[in-house]
Amino acid sequence: MSHWLRSYGLLLGWTALRSRATLPLNLIIQTFLAVGIIVGFAYLVPEMDDATALYLATGAPVLGLITVGMVIGPQEVASSKQEGIFDFNRSLPVPRSALIASDATVALLTALPGMVAALVVAGLRFDLTLHISPLVLPAVLLTAFTAIGLGYGIGYGLAPAAARMMSQLVVFVALMFSPITFPASRLPDWFESVHTVLPFQYMAEAVRDTLNRPPEGVAVLPFAVLAVWSLIGFLITYRMTARRP
């Protein structure tokens, strides 16, 4: 265990050092993205009611996590493959799980400022009163780990060019056609059925229901689905990093 913790600490420092040029820019982009969704999407709704405001306020942090994990993550992995960093990391005498954990930690820390900023701006913009559940932390972590696990699985499992194109497809689908900032009932029936399998709807439900606890309580299903998707993503990532160079 001590070897794993030492490896994790060293890898975390190495990852942060390697990302020092892009990390501040990523933080700025994620913060502006989350706040921009709150402010910009509000212009599309002539009369903002409480339900719509809640979807925007809780959906913006989810979109921020998806962008960090499933868009920026695969693109960074693609770049690391082309620059030889991926093969170098796999040659290090460290546990592969520690390597994945260090990348996931940096990605999660990148997304947190945008999440906080989005909630603060939403509270000021819409005058929302949220009834936060203690389960909000597990909900956010599960959402983040699902996005990061799947995103890095895409980056490690596909060729760099294909990973970049897939990440662009993900952000397009998540931003425009996923029930994150709007109810699933607005989608066509067939597309609504598709989202009962994909993780996006469950990310939104887990975060929304824990930021504003409904009278009937927080549902278990979103947590269970996200746990499965998160496990799938990290298993794919682990297998790719564990392969011999």
Side-chain angles (χ1 to χ4, degrees), residues 55-74:
Y55 270 89
L56 289 179
T58 59
V62 174
L63 288 172
L65 291 173
I66 291 173
T67 303
V68 169
M70 303 183 72
V71 181
I72 295 177

Side-chain angles (χ1 to χ4, degrees), residues 74-97:
Q75 293 178 358
E76 289 183 344
V77 172
S79 297
S80 71
K81 283 183 174 181
Q82 293 177 323
E83 296 168 1
I85 297 174
F86 174 60
D87 290 331
F88 172 76
N89 286 343
R90 289 200 300 173
S91 69
L92 296 173
V94 296
R96 296 299 180 258
S97 58

Side-chain angles (χ1 to χ4, degrees), residues 187-232:
L187 292 170
D189 291 342
W190 67 271
F191 207 7
E192 185 177 353
S193 299
V194 170
H195 278 291
T196 61
V197 179
L198 297 177
F200 302 121
Q201 175 178 329
Y202 301 104
M203 292 177 176
E205 289 178 354
V207 173
R208 183 169 58 251
D209 287 352
T210 53
L211 282 175
N212 191 60
R213 187 176 64 252
E216 65 274 13
V218 178
V220 177
L221 180 61
F223 289 81
V225 174
L226 292 180
V228 172
W229 274 109
S230 177
L231 180 61
I232 291 172

